[in-house]
Amino acid sequence: MKKKLQSLIQETFKKLNITLPEVVIELPKEESFGDLATPVAMPLSKILKRPPRKIAEEIINSFEEKDIFENIEIAGPGFINFTFSKSYLYSEIKNLIKDSTGFLRNNIGKGERVHIEFVSANPTGPLHLGHGRGAAVGAALSNLLEAGGYKVEREYYINDAGKQVKLLGLSVFARYKNLLDIDYPVPDDGYKGDYIGDIAQAIVRENGKRYSDAAFEDVADFFTDFSYKLMLKTVAQDLKAFGIIFDMWQSERELYENNDVKKAIDDLKIHGYIYEKDGAVWFRATDFEDDKDRVIIKQDGEYTYFTSDIAYHRKKIEKKFDELIDIWGADHHGYIPRIQAVIQALGYPKESLKVLLVQMVTLLRGGKPVQMSKRAGEFVTLKEVLDEVGADTTKFIFLTRRPDSHLEFDLEVAKAQSAENPVFYVQYANARINSIFAHAKEQGIRIEKLEEADFSLLSAPEELRIIKKLLSYPMVFEGAVIAHEPHRITFYLQELAGMFHPYYHKYKVVTDDVNLTAARLALCEAIRIVLRDGFEILGLSAPERM
RNA sequence: GCGCCUGUAGCUCAGUUGGAUAGAGCAACUGCCUUCUAAGCAGUGGGUCAGGGGUUCGAAUCCCUUCAGGCGCGCCA
């Protein structure tokens, strides 16, 4: 619909000898402004030094294919509003049903490869709701880009090296001793949640008292590895319960074992960005836009988290993806200049990596903040929220907001709303359509080859509104892909459901009139196709009945 | 102190990258189930787009500034 209009306008420009880099086409916010509109005459008025309405008139006058429009008019300061003819709308909706993927999906990515890293929580504790937000956004963005013709790789970066996992091992070790009634101090800065006890118990189950007399130094590797691996398993399970899948799990340890870290440091050294000071090795981040230089090898000879991250991003960038996206919690935003300095130090433009920040989630229960203390191990996990609220609702709440908006997640509201929750409203539209089809089938009505129905029977204003809404999906989709904003799909689905429900209430689809029934079933089929496409992108289930 | 994010209806949030008279859901109130599912429908009220300047044909959107909230500013990850 948009493409057609765009090319028509461009043809006209050619005839009038006008050049404009891009023809902007938009969906007017009010129906009286037509189906599509363009403001092109307004910027042109500056160039051509003529009033915009005059220019708009010239454009319209030299239009070739006027028969697909019912009306073209100039409005406001110089908008050109287009209203399509019904016959054009009918032929388009027919195409939608005949070849849904061809019609809905716009190949914007053209096979370009995109790498998206998200969640990447340390395997030192269960996922919380903030991770859940990153997961929902990352997965939906991945699906969206994939649907938009990109080749997407979803990756989880596992911080299985370094101090934190070791501290996890020590925390579990202390709890293990305690379980065997042996006095052992729990480290002050150690991990304290119930899950530490669970891991310790698993060790008791499998190994009994084998390590009861051991010193931590001697069994550190065993406790550390056992603990983080079990934790990682839990993380993966929780993500699975949330419906999130990854193509790759990149281990930090592997970067050390495969010498990627060493290679990365050497690389930076060659480029002259490494120096020694105070017994430590530094990366000269201030050569770029960071405000401090950063330590990569500490006085004690240990690497920092940043060091392996340099190696990780170097590895990613050398795989020559067309686009690299990291999704981080907003509390890590101070880390961006540092990592972009690395990208540039390695000789790539800093735009090679896009960091999408996902803002904090405040967890409430009945308007009151839920006290969370990671130190004391008191926090609500993603799993608990999923059990209480449900995966679809949780996802929907995340996906009806821009990632950079601070989010208040009230457990009571999310649950109490469950009867009138927006996600059910949208899913219910799909379930209703299914039951219409079931009913039609029972009545012995043919529900195949709906594209052969007589679409011109869909002449009620509500039907035309729905058809136009359906035909605008590719535009919304395209906008969402380009902007990397899955939430646009969420809002669109709510609007579409918001048209279907009143229609359902006012009109009967299955009637004695065979031809009308076929036409309306076809319309329902088109709605169902679009709803399901949206569900798939957002990662929501599409229940047959509710 | 410096940096990043946010501020839109009572509440939670959209606002198509600068377009036309600023929208939706929830909450509140009034009606609607003998019908293809009432997780639904019809109707009513609700705004200094945080404040102030600026940029232009045109600003919730861009720039400056003030205020408020959140988050960062480690040889932690």
Side-chain angles (χ1 to χ4, degrees):
Chain A
M1 201 159 75
K2 179 189 173 186
K3 273 188 195 156
K4 180 81 188 161
L5 180 58
Q6 234 165 4
S7 68
L8 282 176
I9 293 176
Q10 256 146 6
E11 269 173 43
T12 314
F13 279 5
K14 226 178 268 172
K15 271 195 345 204
L16 295 174
N17 251 328
I18 300 172
T19 43
L20 201 68
E22 200 196 358
V23 178
V24 177
I25 308 276
E26 39 188 48
L27 290 164
K29 45 180 157 184
E30 212 153 314
E31 281 173 53
S32 61
F33 298 151
D35 301 331
L36 289 180
T38 179
V40 281
M42 268 121 60
L44 278 175
S45 108
K46 213 178 217 171
I47 304 166
L48 304 177
K49 307 239 188 293
R50 267 178 287 161
R53 293 186 69 108
K54 187 93 186 154
I55 296 167
E57 207 173 303
E58 286 173 35
I59 295 172
I60 295 172
N61 284 339
S62 52
F63 243 76
E64 295 274 329
E65 240 180 293
K66 282 190 179 162
D67 50 321
I68 69 167
F69 300 107
E70 186 179 285
N71 187 27
I72 305 175
E73 61 177 11
I74 303 166
F79 290 96
I80 310 175
N81 296 338
F82 301 88
T83 306
F84 288 96
S85 68
K86 286 182 190 167
S87 61
Y88 180 72
L89 297 176
Y90 295 143
S91 73
E92 283 292 280
I93 199 80
K94 187 172 179 172
N95 288 338
L96 192 163
I97 298 170
K98 243 200 292 197
D99 174 19
S100 55
T101 43
F103 189 90
L104 300 177
R105 297 294 170 78
N106 194 337
N107 188 358
I108 301 152
K110 300 191 170 60
E112 285 192 6
R113 294 165 64 231
V114 183
H115 184 281
I116 305 183
E117 182 217 329
F118 58 111
V119 187
S120 299
N122 283 353
T124 52
L127 297 176
H128 59 245
L129 203 56
H131 297 128
R133 186 176 191 185
V137 170
L141 179 61
S142 303
N143 297 341
L144 178 67
L145 294 184
E146 208 161 66
Y150 291 87
K151 229 175 153 319
V152 180
E153 189 167 314
R154 306 154 172 85
E155 187 164 277
Y156 187 117
Y157 180 53
I158 310 162
N159 300 121
D160 52 6
K163 212 170 129 184
Q164 294 304 314
V165 278
K166 200 163 178 185
L167 185 58
L168 173 74
L170 178 59
S171 306
V172 170
F173 180 74
R175 192 68 66 89
Y176 170 82
K177 291 256 184 184
N178 296 345
L179 280 175
L180 300 178
D181 286 324
I182 300 164
D183 228 18
Y184 197 91
V186 175
D188 276 348
D189 53 352
Y191 295 94
K192 303 212 168 66
D194 292 342
Y195 66 96
I196 297 295
D198 297 341
I199 301 170
Q201 243 151 20
I203 294 177
V204 172
R205 265 201 308 278
E206 291 185 23
N207 298 281
K209 296 183 178 172
R210 193 199 284 182
Y211 304 106
S212 57
D213 300 325
F216 182 63
E217 294 72 48
D218 299 327
V219 293
D221 284 350
F222 168 78
F223 273 85
T224 301
D225 289 6
F226 186 97
S227 303
Y228 94 75
K229 279 179 184 162
L230 190 62
M231 216 52 251
L232 198 60
K233 213 170 146 191
T234 312
V235 164
Q237 271 168 2
D238 291 355
L239 287 170
K240 199 178 166 200
F242 199 30
I244 311 287
I245 51 119
F246 284 90
D247 304 307
M248 285 282 293
W249 297 73
Q250 174 63 52
S251 148
E252 181 185 1
R253 276 188 190 191
E254 242 171 54
L255 296 175
Y256 285 106
E257 287 160 6
N258 297 343
N259 263 334
D260 288 316
V261 176
K262 199 180 169 307
K263 278 186 254 175
I265 296 173
D266 289 345
D267 202 350
L268 290 176
K269 222 177 253 171
I270 290 165
H271 287 84
Y273 296 111
I274 301 293
Y275 66 94
E276 282 188 41
K277 195 185 90 183
D278 302 335
V281 177
W282 299 70
F283 165 63
R284 203 187 309 276
T286 47
D287 277 7
F288 305 96
E289 280 149 48
D290 201 1
D291 48 10
K292 285 178 186 134
D293 288 343
R294 307 294 172 177
V295 169
I296 57 169
I297 304 176
K298 298 188 268 182
Q299 279 180 344
D300 62 7
E302 294 276 312
Y303 296 100
T304 64
Y305 168 82
F306 180 51
T307 320
S308 49
D309 220 12
I310 292 172
Y312 177 47
H313 282 88
R314 178 173 171 273
K315 191 176 173 182
K316 283 201 275 193
I317 211 164
E318 294 201 332
K319 282 188 188 163
K320 303 288 175 199
F321 285 94
D322 295 291
E323 196 174 338
L324 285 183
I325 302 173
D326 279 11
I327 299 181
W328 296 351
D331 52 340
H332 289 76
H333 76 261
Y335 199 76
I336 296 175
R338 200 174 312 184
I339 208 77
Q340 278 183 336
V342 168
I343 303 283
Q344 292 172 87
L346 293 171
Y348 297 88
K350 75 173 181 190
E351 295 76 32
S352 320
L353 172 72
K354 285 179 198 152
V355 180
L356 179 62
L357 292 177
V358 175
Q359 272 298 342
M360 306 282 92
V361 180
T362 312
L363 189 64
L364 308 172
R365 185 180 287 283
K368 296 246 161 61
V370 177
Q371 287 306 321
M372 290 213 252
S373 156
K374 205 169 179 183
R375 241 187 84 76
E378 289 164 8
F379 52 86
V380 179
T381 64
L382 174 64
K383 178 80 169 42
E384 287 163 339
V385 174
L386 292 182
D387 288 344
E388 188 172 341
V389 177
D392 281 342
T393 304
T394 304
K395 268 187 200 159
F396 206 84
I397 288 172
F398 289 139
L399 297 175
T400 40
R401 283 148 175 90
R402 289 194 339 268
D404 54 7
S405 68
H406 299 257
L407 166 60
E408 296 196 345
F409 193 109
D410 193 311
L411 287 163
E412 291 307 319
V413 174
K415 240 191 342 180
Q417 268 187 10
S418 69
E420 283 176 56
N421 196 300
V423 68
F424 295 114
Y425 183 80
V426 179
Q427 289 178 326
Y428 188 44
N430 177 64
R432 266 186 158 167
I433 291 171
N434 282 328
S435 93
I436 292 172
F437 275 95
H439 177 76
K441 207 172 169 187
E442 248 171 57
Q443 304 292 309
I445 293 163
R446 233 181 85 189
I447 54 171
E448 298 85 32
K449 299 209 173 172
L450 289 171
E451 70 271 17
E452 287 168 12
D454 179 3
F455 288 85
S456 70
L457 297 171
L458 302 171
S459 56
E462 289 87 352
E463 290 168 333
L464 291 167
R465 272 188 80 208
I466 292 173
I467 290 171
K468 288 174 180 181
K469 188 73 187 173
L470 291 168
L471 297 183
S472 75
Y473 181 76
M475 280 182 76
V476 175
F477 175 75
E478 183 192 87
V481 172
I482 291 169
H484 291 187
E485 290 182 352
H487 73 268
R488 295 194 193 187
I489 304 291
T490 320
F491 281 89
Y492 172 89
L493 293 180
Q494 291 188 78
E495 287 159 14
L496 179 59
M499 289 183 184
F500 170 72
H501 287 302
Y503 173 67
Y504 172 89
H505 187 258
K506 190 167 171 186
Y507 297 91
K508 241 169 127 59
V509 173
V510 179
T511 59
D512 295 339
D513 184 335
V514 181
N515 293 329
L516 184 62
T517 300
R520 288 185 172 165
L521 282 173
L523 181 63
C524 287
E525 177 62 13
I527 297 169
R528 183 160 71 170
I529 288 167
V530 172
L531 285 175
R532 284 182 180 171
D533 196 66
F535 289 154
E536 208 180 308
I537 289 168
L538 300 176
L540 300 170
S541 67
E544 298 273 309
R545 54 179 67 226
M546 292 172 70

